[in-house]
Amino acid sequence: NAGVTQTPKFRVLKTGQSMTLLCAQDMNHEYMYWYRQDPGMGLRLIHYSVGEGTTAKGEVPDGYNVSRLKKQNFLLGLESAAPSQTSVYFCASIMREGTTEAFFGQGTRLTVV
Amino acid sequence: LAKTTQPISMDSYEGQEVNITCSHNNIATNDYITWYQQFPSQGPRFIIQGYKTKVTNEVASLFIPADRKSSTLSLPRVSLSDTAVYYCLVGDFGGRDDKIIFGKGTRLHILP
């Protein structure tokens, strides 16, 4: 039982390049989330999904797109990376009802140069 | 989601009990109080959740007064490894609230 797995763990991009971050969970959770965390700051919600085929905007959605084609996977895309998107990205999942316990991945450290 | 207020930072010494208080004046009837811990370079980890009175597990205790407008996370006999950021979240996650929004948290620094 792997929990929440993020791929890749590290990445360096040049400005203007695109990439996709993958979040996979094997707990059959309904809700999934993408956050970014800048140095010394709290987590900020980028996008989230309440179920397969659904996505919604969080606090800081600009410059990112997401897709949830399969229940277990939540993809975060950067179409044209900018240095301001240099951050650590965390994915999380939660069961739909009766719990407040979210499970987080190990993070993806992204640097845009 | 209920707005929460917690201290930005706290210092304590090894072996002491640490209490971190979170204020949430507009908590709703169905809201639960949840605390997360985050070590550097790691994702947050669920510590404890509660609805009212007192909850205790192997890591911490959570005290919630009758009016539920605040809560206190208590860490018994802390060690250096308890140095982390602690987040207080209040909401009906998985129910009324879809979003899980983190505040700035409390940066706890344990001194030897």
Side-chain angles (χ1 to χ4, degrees):
Chain A
N1 189 340
V4 179
T5 303
Q6 293 183 227
T7 308
K9 292 183 175 56
F10 303 93
R11 185 72 185 268
V12 178
L13 282 181
K14 293 183 178 179
T15 298
Q17 287 186 320
S18 63
M19 78 163 293
T20 300
L21 282 68
L22 170 64
C23 177
Q25 53 95 1
D26 60 3
M27 298 172 284
N28 201 35
H29 285 174
E30 290 286 345
Y31 287 24
M32 296 187 74
Y33 303 83
W34 274 108
Y35 296 89
R36 62 175 288 174
Q37 186 170 37
D38 300 329
M41 304 291 287
L43 288 88
R44 291 185 291 171
L45 180 64
I46 305 172
H47 285 282
Y48 65 101
S49 168
V50 301
E52 181 178 311
T54 75
T55 62
K57 295 180 180 180
E59 302 173 280
V60 289
D62 294 342
Y64 305 94
N65 56 74
V66 288
S67 64
R68 183 105 181 264
L69 299 179
K70 293 184 178 181
K71 185 177 183 179
Q72 65 266 35
N73 295 336
F74 195 28
L75 279 65
L76 177 71
L78 288 74
E79 291 187 345
S80 180
S84 61
Q85 294 177 304
T86 293
S87 190
V88 179
Y89 291 84
F90 290 103
C91 174
S93 71
I94 190 170
M95 291 178 66
R96 180 166 184 172
E97 294 176 357
T99 180
T100 59
E101 181 176 359
F103 293 82
F104 281 80
Q106 76 278 31
T108 295
R109 186 173 298 274
L110 175 66
T111 302
V112 183
V113 298
Chain B
L1 290 170
K3 178 176 166 55
T4 60
T5 302
Q6 53 183 123
I8 294 175
S9 65
M10 294 178 65
D11 290 337
S12 187
Y13 290 94
E14 277 192 297
Q16 294 193 334
E17 178 184 79
V18 171
N19 296 311
I20 305 173
T21 297
C22 179
S23 297
H24 29 82
N25 291 321
N26 60 337
I27 188 169
T29 302
N30 292 335
D31 288 348
Y32 276 76
I33 300 157
T34 309
W35 285 81
Y36 285 83
Q37 175 190 56
Q38 185 181 26
F39 297 117
S41 302
Q42 295 185 26
R45 180 178 75 110
F46 172 91
I47 302 177
I48 197 166
Q49 76 173 49
Y51 184 80
K52 61 181 179 181
T53 62
K54 176 184 174 182
V55 180
T56 297
N57 62 22
E58 65 278 4
V59 177
S61 294
L62 179 59
F63 298 92
I64 305 167
D67 66 6
R68 303 204 324 128
K69 293 184 183 300
S70 67
S71 59
T72 299
L73 176 73
S74 181
L75 304 172
R77 292 203 299 276
V78 294
S79 64
L80 295 176
S81 63
D82 290 313
T83 293
V85 179
Y86 293 82
Y87 297 95
C88 167
L89 283 74
V90 176
D92 182 18
F93 306 122
R96 186 187 75 249
D97 295 315
D98 292 339
K99 301 179 185 178
I100 302 179
I101 303 293
F102 284 78
K104 293 183 170 58
T106 296
R107 194 170 295 272
L108 177 64
H109 188 203
I110 305 301
L111 304 167

